[in-house]
Amino acid sequence: MGSGVGWIDYDQDGLMDLYCVQSAATDIYKSARPLRSALYHNNGDGTFTDVTEKASVGGEGHYGQGVSVGDYNNDGDIDIAINNRGDYPELLRNDGGNANHWLEVLLIGTKSNRHGIGSSLKLTSEKGRAHRTVQGRHELYVG
C-alpha cells in the first residue's frame, strides 16, 4: 500500500527521478517481505533503476504517509521530507554534492499569485531540455 510519491532530480542530471513512500503492514495487509520506500533513478530512456539501497533511503520500519521534496538547506541538491504515522517526521538530507550544474529560479508574482504557482520554466542546453512547473513553492530547481 503506497502512500505518496515525489518527483525529484536527486542527482542533478536534469531527469526527474521518482521517490515512493511506502506504508507499513496493517491489520488488513501483511506483506511477505519487509516494506520500504524506494528511489528510482530515471535512465533517460523511459526506464527507471531502483537505487534505494545505494542511496540509503529505504525507511524500513516506518509508516510513511506523505512526502515533500525541496532544497531545505539551500545547498543546491534536493532533499526529501517524509511524514511518518505515529513517529517523528523524517528528513533525508541529500549531501551527495553538486557534481552537476544546477539552476535555481525564484518566481515572484506582482499581484494575487505572489508565489508564481502554475508558472512554467523551459530550459534548453547542450545536454538537452528540462521543463518544470511551480506547484507549491516559488523556487524551481533544474539540474
Side-chain angles (χ1 to χ4, degrees):
M1 170 181 350
S3 60
V5 297
W7 289 101
I8 175 174
D9 185 5
Y10 81 95
D11 57 355
Q12 301 290 352
D13 64 357
L15 301 171
M16 297 305 288
D17 310 299
L18 181 63
Y19 186 76
C20 300
V21 175
Q22 184 60 41
S23 304
T26 66
D27 292 338
I28 299 170
Y29 174 75
K30 301 267 192 249
S31 175
R33 56 188 171 150
L35 299 173
R36 65 175 175 89
S37 297
L39 176 62
Y40 296 99
H41 174 76
N42 187 337
N43 298 320
D45 61 1
T47 65
F48 290 80
T49 300
D50 188 341
V51 295
T52 307
E53 287 186 32
K54 180 179 175 185
S56 300
V57 294
E60 292 87 354
H62 293 285
Y63 191 129
Q65 287 196 304
V67 62
S68 179
V69 296
D71 185 9
Y72 101 96
N73 56 349
N74 295 317
D75 64 352
D77 44 33
I78 307 302
D79 310 296
I80 301 171
I82 302 166
N83 185 36
N84 291 310
R85 179 177 184 233
D87 202 351
Y88 293 102
E90 186 176 7
L91 176 64
L92 304 177
R93 185 172 159 171
N94 184 351
D95 287 325
N98 290 316
N100 293 314
H101 297 286
W102 58 277
L103 171 70
E104 175 186 7
V105 177
L106 179 63
L107 301 170
I108 301 175
T110 57
K111 295 193 181 200
S112 62
N113 190 4
R114 296 284 299 157
H115 290 236
I117 295 172
S119 299
S120 290
L121 173 71
K122 293 180 182 180
L123 181 68
T124 302
S125 73
E126 65 275 356
K127 285 187 159 187
R129 296 179 184 174
H131 180 239
R132 303 287 186 273
T133 302
V134 177
Q135 296 183 2
R137 296 184 56 182
H138 53 250
E139 297 99 355
L140 288 175
Y141 291 88
V142 182

